[in-house]
Amino acid sequence: MDVEGYRTKYQKDLEGRNAWVDHLFHRIWPPSRVSYRFWPKLPMDYREVNEDYAKHLKKLSEKIMEWLSEGLGLRREALIEGLGGETVEYLMKINYYPPCHDQDLVIGAPDHTDVNGITFLVANEALGLQAFKDNHWIDIKYTTSGIIVIVGDQFHRISNGKYMSAKHRATMDKEKTRISWPIFVESSLDHEFAPLRELITGEDNAPKFKPYVYKDFKFRKLKKLPLD
Ligand SMILES: O=C(O)CCC(=O)C(=O)O
Ligand SMILES: [Fe+2]
């Protein structure tokens, strides 16, 4: 179930298009869960820059999780605690999509929702990320001054369905290589998560999802097994 390291992934999407991407996964937080053997040795400052990025990203992520908790009318710590508090992990992924001329046959990442709590993504200037809204695929604009925030399945469930996990996909560019760097904020594999108890009040608010140990949830989702 552990995903760290390099991989080339081939898949078919629903329309039968081939999907391929090379990616690297490595954890960036907490320090006790970081294995530097999965981190690239070059460029020389990779480790320093990424350690710095991890600290900033953790701060930003905690702020946003606090706001999302307040948005549910809960204590600021509620969602972070639901994900596991101090044991929450930050998993870096680097996606590499080579240029591709035949957009009808090939897609970078087929449509999906992220399995984790919340994702923070930056990408290079080659466009490709699309979000599904009102029955359409919408291109996500390139930005150098912002970060893309994607709600994942864990927050969908922890919020008892109040926050929707966002369906998205990545297409490939005809001429440019596309690289994206999502960071997945997720429970540690042994953490059990469930709809927050504070949200289960009265009969109208029965839990919509059963509790899951994250490793079982992740396994079932990645193997496309039924979850409910
Ligand atoms: O490359 C992208 O912009 C999206 C990648 C993605 O959704 C993922 O790796 O989960
Ligand atoms: Fe994703």
Side-chain angles (χ1 to χ4, degrees):
M1 189 71 277
D2 219 347
V3 291
E4 285 185 291
Y6 286 99
R7 207 150 292 146
T8 297
K9 191 165 170 192
Y10 294 95
Q11 265 180 290
K12 282 224 187 269
D13 78 349
L14 290 175
E15 282 101 55
R17 279 178 294 218
N18 291 306
W20 87 73
V21 59
D22 289 336
H23 58 231
L24 168 66
F25 273 112
H26 66 71
R27 280 193 200 87
I28 57 169
W29 195 269
S32 62
R33 295 283 288 142
V34 168
S35 308
Y36 289 110
R37 69 197 156 100
F38 294 116
W39 291 39
K41 302 281 173 291
L42 293 172
M44 295 283 278
D45 55 358
Y46 185 89
R47 176 165 162 176
E48 192 188 332
V49 171
N50 276 274
E51 284 178 342
D52 204 33
Y53 186 48
K55 288 194 189 110
H56 287 289
L57 195 100
K58 180 167 180 273
K59 247 190 233 159
L60 174 72
S61 153
E62 287 177 351
K63 251 294 142 271
I64 291 179
M65 291 193 277
E66 285 173 9
W67 289 331
L68 289 175
S69 304
E70 287 178 343
L72 295 168
L74 301 177
R75 292 173 302 115
R76 296 207 309 212
E77 304 75 31
L79 281 173
I80 306 177
E81 283 174 10
L83 215 53
E86 284 303 304
T87 64
V88 168
E89 298 186 357
Y90 288 65
L91 179 66
M92 159 80 91
K93 185 182 183 196
I94 306 176
N95 288 306
Y96 177 89
Y97 310 98
C100 177
H101 288 278
D102 210 336
Q103 307 248 329
D104 293 338
L105 293 177
V106 180
I107 187 148
D111 55 321
H112 66 282
T113 54
D114 291 343
V115 64
N116 52 296
I118 190 164
T119 306
F120 295 88
L121 183 143
V122 292
N124 71 347
E125 71 285 352
L127 294 185
L129 180 61
Q130 296 181 323
F132 197 66
K133 184 165 184 280
D134 302 329
N135 267 325
H136 293 291
W137 287 105
I138 302 171
D139 291 322
I140 304 295
K141 292 199 188 84
Y142 169 64
T143 165
T144 51
S145 60
I147 193 159
I148 294 159
V149 182
I150 304 171
V151 172
D153 298 335
Q154 280 202 292
F155 273 179
H156 180 58
R157 287 168 174 254
I158 290 172
S159 71
N160 205 29
K162 292 228 162 56
Y163 288 128
M164 293 299 294
S165 45
K167 192 151 104 168
H168 57 284
R169 69 180 186 184
T171 59
M172 290 157 106
D173 193 274
K174 283 201 169 64
E175 273 117 38
K176 291 187 207 137
T177 292
R178 177 152 193 281
I179 306 179
S180 66
W181 290 261
I183 289 181
F184 302 110
V185 184
E186 61 182 2
S187 296
S188 66
L189 290 174
D190 291 327
H191 177 74
E192 187 178 86
F193 70 101
L196 291 172
R197 233 172 272 142
E198 296 98 305
L199 293 172
I200 313 300
T201 49
E203 277 193 9
D204 297 341
N205 282 317
K208 294 195 172 76
F209 306 100
K210 63 181 185 189
Y212 258 112
V213 175
Y214 186 51
K215 68 166 165 284
D216 299 333
F217 183 73
K218 202 167 175 181
F219 178 82
R220 296 190 69 84
K221 163 97 184 199
L222 299 182
K223 296 282 177 206
K224 299 189 168 53
L225 298 168
L227 285 162
D228 294 301

